[in-house]
Amino acid sequence: MSSDDASPAGDDPAGAGYGFPRRWWRALAAHPPPGVRGLPRRWRSPLRGPWLTSTFGLVLLVTLPLVIVTGLLDHLAYGPRFSQAFPSDVGWLRPPAVDWPTRPSWLFRVTQGLHVTLGIMLVPVVLAKLWSVLPKLFDWPPARSVAQVLERLTLLLLVGGILFEIATGLLNMQYAYLFGFDFYTAHYFGAWVFTAALVAHVALKLPRLVTALRSRPARRELATPRAATRPEPPDPDGLVAPAPGAATVSRRGAIALVGGLSVLLGALTVGQSLDGAWRRTALLLPRGRQPGSDPNGFVVNRTALAAGIRPDDTGPAWRLTLRAGDRQLALDRAALLALPQHTARLPIACVEGWSTLQTWTGVRLRDLAALVGTDDVDATTVRSLEKAGLFRQATLAANQVLDPDSLLALRVNGADLAPDHGWPARVIVPALPGVHCTKWVAEIDFAGAAR
Ligand SMILES: Nc1nc2c(c(=O)[nH]1)N[C@H]1C(S)=C(S)[C@@H](COP(=O)(O)O)O[C@H]1N2
Ligand SMILES: [Mo]
């Protein structure tokens, strides 16, 4: 199992008919790369073994599906139907063309919050599990059979996949686009690679996991102090160290450390998805804290200055243009304020992970549609004053325009919108990702989107 045991003249242990020709294996085994020979004896932790690996594995088996499913839902919420979920052409990985619902209004807030918070909390568990199997990375020879080559290939995709998802996810949350590729496309493709590898890995390893967990009752293991911590018996996968040292921490201590780190990360993250005092605990987040106490004192994702909005464009000269087919109408802010006003308490939930619940007042989008003479609303394009870039426009599906709480907001928490929150007018729609709640709206075209 290790280079020490693998004498060049040894047998092919996995060679039950699917092995490589014996002489290949022997040649490979006889020529380990520098530094690998004797390495297994230097991995000495007596904690490593099938039980510990399977315990971390079980946690991931239960929680990762939730991260995967919420991630996929977030992608659907983004509106891939309208080419808005940046992997605009993902071939056969394209998700079904469903309408993202507007109810419950906190739907995206929850799927997004769960995806990000849980994803962060699982980082210590993933690292602990990788630590527990780390010596396997230096196995020599690297594979003894075709089946094992395939298995190790899935591991490459599995480990590479999850590390890639963690790294890109964390960087995205910090708005740190250090990589030269599009985050959404890459994170989406990476998720599929990882998920496929995970399914293969679970199919291959589930029986081992069950056996390993049954081999040492958790209750007994969690009652074992450091002094009584012994290595597991040698296992066929070679996870147990061939020459284990004495325990410096018990298995329960190691699990408590990992669990504690996970809870700590979670506690430093959830605040970004909760309002009130919790907000202050969101230490890891670049825009997660409460910036002020006035009605407009909630998170600003991108300021008017950063978006290049000139005060002249949002002053008295500003007009909202409404379009439906060849009909067109222009309204100033006073005209909008003279229309029936509606108030709704709705979250802004940014795709980067933070969210906040605020009270918005403005004109219903469906009233604006009726004003320009259409009840038969189609996919609707909202354009901002920004002339270029990601936020230039957003497409809303008919159900998102017609919801009675979907607003062109003019006020928030009883005050006029601040410039940074989209003055003179912004869109707010229940359960819509923040990215599509266009600020500094210039035009709404109720039948202008290509489907
Ligand atoms: N025109 C325009 N609209 C925009 C943005 C923008 O940069 N420009 N940012 C979007 C994003 S990503 C989010 S999360 C919300 C944030 O709204 P807030 O800054 O009022 O909290 O506005 C959205 N609307
Ligand atoms: Mo956002």
Side-chain angles (χ1 to χ4, degrees):
M1 306 270 40
S2 66
S3 59
D4 297 50
D5 317 328
S7 74
D11 295 324
D12 173 354
Y18 295 99
F20 299 133
R22 184 165 296 200
R23 82 196 128 79
W24 288 11
W25 185 72
R26 246 187 258 147
L28 204 61
H31 297 96
V36 163
R37 189 185 289 280
L39 200 56
R41 290 189 178 277
R42 269 181 263 147
W43 302 103
R44 292 166 64 88
S45 173
L47 264 49
R48 283 202 182 88
W51 186 85
L52 192 69
T53 297
S54 299
T55 300
F56 292 136
L58 182 65
V59 173
L60 294 173
L61 183 63
V62 173
T63 47
L64 276 175
L66 207 54
V67 180
I68 294 170
V69 169
T70 50
L72 198 58
L73 288 175
D74 290 349
H75 180 76
L76 285 178
Y78 219 119
R81 270 183 70 184
F82 306 116
S83 304
Q84 296 190 115
F86 298 106
S88 36
D89 188 18
V90 292
W92 51 270
L93 287 177
R94 182 204 304 266
V98 294
D99 272 342
W100 183 253
T102 52
R103 301 286 151 176
S105 63
W106 41 259
L107 183 64
F108 181 71
R109 189 179 199 197
V110 166
T111 57
Q112 169 72 353
L114 271 179
H115 182 72
V116 171
T117 308
L118 213 54
I120 288 181
M121 289 181 74
L122 289 185
V123 171
V125 187
V126 168
L127 295 181
K129 187 167 190 247
L130 288 180
W131 171 85
S132 77
V133 297
L134 195 60
K136 301 288 293 168
L137 189 62
F138 302 93
D139 247 2
W140 197 263
R144 297 179 177 87
S145 64
V146 177
Q148 207 190 3
V149 170
L150 292 178
E151 191 209 311
R152 295 197 79 165
L153 208 62
T154 64
L155 288 176
L156 191 71
L157 299 179
L158 186 77
V159 176
I162 198 151
L163 293 180
F164 181 81
E165 293 300 278
I166 288 174
T168 50
L170 289 177
L171 287 172
N172 181 55
M173 277 184 60
Q174 301 297 325
Y175 302 84
Y177 298 101
L178 307 178
F179 35 80
F181 46 78
D182 174 63
F183 166 76
Y184 301 93
T185 313
H187 202 68
Y188 185 72
F189 275 123
W192 279 111
V193 169
F194 170 70
T195 305
L198 181 66
V199 169
H201 185 65
V202 170
L204 285 170
K205 295 293 170 96
L206 196 59
R208 297 275 172 91
L209 178 134
V210 173
T211 319
L213 291 180
R214 287 212 176 122
S215 73
R216 305 168 87 81
R219 188 173 303 191
R220 197 184 69 202
E221 201 56 59
L222 296 180
T224 307
R226 183 184 61 82
T229 299
R230 304 275 172 275
E232 293 182 53
D235 65 309
D237 292 316
L239 293 176
V240 178
T248 50
V249 61
S250 62
R251 285 191 186 82
R252 69 173 178 193
I255 290 170
L257 178 70
V258 173
L261 275 174
S262 174
V263 169
L264 178 69
L265 285 177
L268 293 180
T269 307
V270 283
Q272 71 165 337
S273 304
L274 305 168
D275 289 300
W278 271 103
R279 202 97 200 157
R280 291 166 213 273
T281 62
L283 294 186
L284 300 181
L285 300 150
R287 294 171 214 194
R289 318 281 286 282
Q290 195 75 19
S293 54
D294 57 300
N296 276 281
F298 57 95
V299 194
V300 170
N301 193 46
R302 207 153 137 265
T303 61
L305 187 69
I309 303 296
R310 295 178 309 151
D312 282 354
D313 296 337
T314 56
W318 176 82
R319 296 286 180 281
L320 169 73
T321 306
L322 301 175
R323 286 180 206 279
D326 47 18
R327 285 183 301 275
Q328 186 176 326
L329 200 64
L331 302 170
D332 63 9
R333 208 180 124 97
L336 287 167
L337 281 168
L339 292 170
Q341 303 289 300
H342 179 73
T343 296
R345 219 164 140 63
L346 296 174
I348 289 257
C350 180
V351 294
E352 268 75 44
W354 59 266
S355 56
T356 179
L357 190 62
Q358 305 295 335
T359 304
W360 308 89
T361 302
V363 185
R364 286 184 164 128
L365 291 180
R366 67 181 190 194
D367 290 354
L368 292 175
L371 205 63
V372 72
T374 180
D375 302 319
D376 181 26
V377 170
D378 214 337
T380 289
T381 306
V382 179
R383 299 198 174 86
S384 85
L385 286 168
E386 287 174 80
K387 291 287 169 288
L390 188 56
F391 303 101
R392 193 179 76 257
Q393 64 174 56
T395 304
L396 307 177
N399 68 314
Q400 293 170 327
V401 176
L402 295 175
D403 189 286
D405 279 351
S406 295
L407 304 178
L408 181 73
L410 305 168
R411 301 164 62 77
V412 65
N413 302 318
D416 283 341
L417 282 175
D420 287 345
H421 285 302
W423 165 276
R426 76 164 310 155
V427 163
I428 181 86
V429 168
L432 183 70
V435 63
H436 291 152
C437 297
T438 305
K439 304 197 275 193
W440 313 294
V441 173
E443 181 181 303
I444 304 178
D445 187 341
F446 288 100
R451 264 175 303 169

